[in-house]
Amino acid sequence: MNSIRANPQAGLDIHMLDVQFIRDNLEAVKANCKNRNVTADVDRVVALDEQRRQILQQQQVHQHRQNEISKLIPKEKDKDKKQALIQEGRDLREKVAALENQVKEVEAELKTVLMTIPNMSHPDAPVGLTPADNKVISKVGEPKKFDFKPKDHVALAEALDIVDFEAGSSVAGQKFYFLKNEAVLLELALVQYAFGKLLEKGYTPIITPDVAKVDVLEGIGFMPRGPETQIYSLANTDLCLIATAEITLGGMHRDRIFDELDLPIKYVGMSHCFRTEAGAPGRDTRGLYRVHQFTKVEMFVFCTPDQSDGLHQELLAIEESIFQGLGLPYHVIDTCTGDLGGPAYRKFDIETWMPARGEAGEYGEVTSTSNCTDFQSRRLGIRFKSTKQKGTRFVHTLNGTAVAVSRALVAILENYQQADGSVVIPEALKRWVGRDVISRKGGISG
RNA sequence: GGAGGGGUGGCAGAGCGGCCGAUUGCACCGGUCUUGAAAACCGGCAAGGGUCACACCUUCGAGGGUUCGAAUCCCUCCCCCUCCGCCA
């Protein structure tokens, strides 16, 4: 078909969900949009694709003739005939150019519509439209009973002088903060702890850039240009601050063709994460739970289609082992279709108990792991080649939080607090923090 | 920041207006030979679209231009390398 455009290298590829797949599974795609609470004009995709193919076909006919002519010309001895051929070639050039413009227009619209269509959903993902339909699939540990009224992490942190929210908002604005004293050590400890766990599992450690180009963001499934974007853009560049290392880790191998034998490729990467939190006004306004910047250790996997379900379970198991190691009670949620977000085929969240959240404690999200199947790889042009099969196929990508530091801090401070306002350091982190307890008098040098 | 040199198939590396989607080497796959292996020899081997299969179309960093025709010429941008300067 195509000219120029469907080449993944060109960065213009229009596959979000595979158009062919949409054509072949029209009803399923529509049903999926409904389940996901997404309004998308799926029929329009088919219509536009039809148009596009037609134009392309016409264009091909002309191109074919063009190629013929340019081969004939050097052989043609007769002057008049030669002139005639050259003239025909000129005409064809214009026709092809005109058709190409049409294709561009159609494809631009197609891409816009395609962008709104979410990934398909795992057959076992609970169907439902709101977070209320999320399903708790396992629960580990019991919420701790306190014989005093537990304070929230903000009160604890301020009294212990380990987080400075006021300075944060003064320097950078609301929802920014300074970590101080033991909170700094805790962040470093959490990072060390997470990397340690993942290294044991054979993941390759990475520290990624904290910025990425717009088309990488879009490839991963973020929409930096949207009105409700979560993404900070850097003025006068095509760069954005990343919202997660998923973006940079996923983008790391764009336009790459792997050998099947090299898969799966497993990374554990650290980055800072920046989120505007647009569309979440008034929610979780206090403290570290919802902030504009935090540090996160993220897992990311490239694999073959038949590996992805298994690896999704692996990522979840690792996340669980991390939070078990921290001694925090949690449950696991199988996210319902309506709450999946665009790229995910299935998503599990870990929510740990946060004793001071809500009225009398609530579970709060601390990790999230998604199987994005080929949704991201298709946009980023990440394929693999197998010796058994001709051609290439798109890899599957998965991501999962190892530790999102700010939220882990919330959980640790609130769960490990004592009646006197001091906080015990989780056993697993003591070797890096270098002390057992954070107490009010415990200055950093103490 | 200054001065040069480059970006071609998995890698290396030719080509510098039509005979080039691309010489060749390595790697890889299949075969012959061998008890087996190595070597040697023969054959295959970029991707995407399209087709039952062919045909056919597109792609030589990206975008634009010149031309009947561009990997090859012109413009813009990106990336990489070398030398000098500066710096955590």
Side-chain angles (χ1 to χ4, degrees), chain A residues 27-44:
Chain A
E27 290 316 310
V29 171
K30 284 183 185 171
N32 183 55
C33 287
K34 200 169 237 172
N35 286 342
R36 289 202 175 214
N37 206 13
V38 166
T39 4
D41 192 348
V42 184
D43 289 319
R44 186 79 187 130

Side-chain angles (χ1 to χ4, degrees), chain A residues 63-136:
Chain A
Q63 282 171 325
H64 178 38
R65 178 64 185 156
Q66 243 181 342
N67 290 340
E68 258 174 17
I69 290 180
S70 52
K71 277 182 189 131
L72 288 176
I73 288 177
K75 293 187 206 135
E76 184 56 64
K77 296 295 176 231
D78 183 287
K79 272 232 167 93
D80 289 344
K81 283 184 184 167
K82 192 167 194 157
Q83 262 322 306
L85 284 174
I86 289 177
Q87 189 53 49
E88 189 184 351
R90 282 196 190 119
D91 295 344
L92 282 171
R93 187 169 65 198
E94 275 169 33
K95 282 182 193 162
V96 169
L99 288 172
E100 183 152 343
N101 283 333
Q102 285 182 42
V103 173
K104 272 187 192 166
E105 277 175 37
V106 172
E107 287 192 346
E109 193 187 340
L110 183 55
K111 179 172 175 176
T112 311
V113 182
L114 233 23
M115 278 286 223
T116 63
I117 299 179
N119 200 354
M120 296 303 284
S121 309
H122 192 288
D124 294 342
V127 174
L129 297 185
T130 68
D133 298 310
N134 289 338
K135 199 165 121 198
V136 175

